[in-house]
């Protein structure tokens, strides 16, 4: 949570519309420099001067129902402070899509109905015990 003065300063910088959007989705007000947008429409920002350390980079997701798997690997490395330059400036991260990479986005289906479930094709070695009660 931010202080009142910091919140008022950020409202003055970003405006009421972006203030309400940020409070709805990230629960805090942030004002910073727009870095770039990825192919999914997510917007990436950075503010080195006014933010706390390791809280200087953030993403504004395009979709309302967002998931961290909607961030591309290069942008994830930049958001996690693994690289200093964003993917649009880093030559190593601009290699494009390699032949062995999956085409398009595949969402993380963990904890959903479409999640992978293991099954066995082998006959079980043990059988469940079924108690037989004698009639009274």
């Amino acid at each position: 949570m931010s202080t009142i003065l910091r919140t008022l300063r950020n409202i003055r910088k970003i405006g009421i519309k972006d203030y309400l959007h940020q409070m709805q989705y990230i629960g805090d007000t942030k004002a910073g420099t727009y870095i770039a947008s990825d192919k999914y429409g997510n917007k990436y920002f950075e503010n080195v001067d006014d933010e706390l350390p390791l809280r200087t980079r953030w993403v504004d997701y395009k979709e309302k129902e967002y998931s961290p798997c909607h961030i591309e690997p290069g942008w994830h490395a930049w958001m996690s402070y693994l690289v200093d330059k964003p993917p649009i400036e880093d030559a190593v991260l601009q290699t494009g899509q390699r032949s062995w990479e999956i085409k398009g986005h595949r969402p993380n289906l963990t904890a959903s109905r479409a999640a992978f479930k293991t099954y066995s094709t082998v006959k079980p070695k043990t059988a469940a015990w079924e108690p037989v009660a004698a009639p009274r």
Side-chain angles (χ1 to χ4, degrees):
M1 194 67 183
S2 61
T3 64
I4 297 290
L5 293 175
R6 181 176 169 271
T7 302
L8 293 174
R9 183 180 67 236
N10 287 338
I11 290 173
R12 188 169 40 91
K13 287 181 183 178
I14 63 174
I16 283 288
K17 182 180 176 185
D18 285 337
Y19 163 74
L20 294 173
H21 175 77
Q22 288 180 0
M23 289 305 289
Q24 176 73 27
Y25 291 107
I26 63 175
D28 194 9
T29 58
K30 291 182 174 274
T33 307
Y34 172 75
I35 301 299
S37 182
D38 64 3
K39 67 180 180 182
Y40 301 120
N42 301 326
K43 298 176 187 174
Y44 297 90
F45 297 91
E46 183 174 32
N47 185 356
V48 181
D49 300 328
D50 298 333
E51 295 295 327
L52 296 171
L54 298 178
R55 291 189 175 197
T56 59
R57 300 173 181 169
W58 67 94
V59 61
D60 184 15
Y61 292 99
K62 180 183 177 185
E63 299 179 14
K64 293 180 181 177
E65 296 294 325
Y66 60 87
S67 172
C69 71
H70 291 133
I71 297 180
E72 295 177 4
W75 284 108
H76 181 267
W78 181 74
M79 292 282 298
S80 303
Y81 299 93
L82 298 174
V83 294
D84 292 330
K85 297 178 185 175
I88 57 170
E89 299 174 6
D90 196 352
V92 175
L93 296 175
Q94 288 184 350
T95 58
Q97 192 154 11
R98 297 166 185 91
S99 60
W100 50 267
E101 288 180 331
I102 298 171
K103 308 290 187 248
H105 175 68
R106 187 171 61 182
N108 184 357
L109 301 173
T110 304
S112 69
R113 297 188 82 192
F116 176 77
K117 296 177 185 68
T118 59
Y119 64 94
S120 177
T121 58
V122 180
K123 183 178 177 185
K125 295 179 182 177
T126 58
W129 176 67
E130 296 180 18
V132 179
R136 293 185 184 208

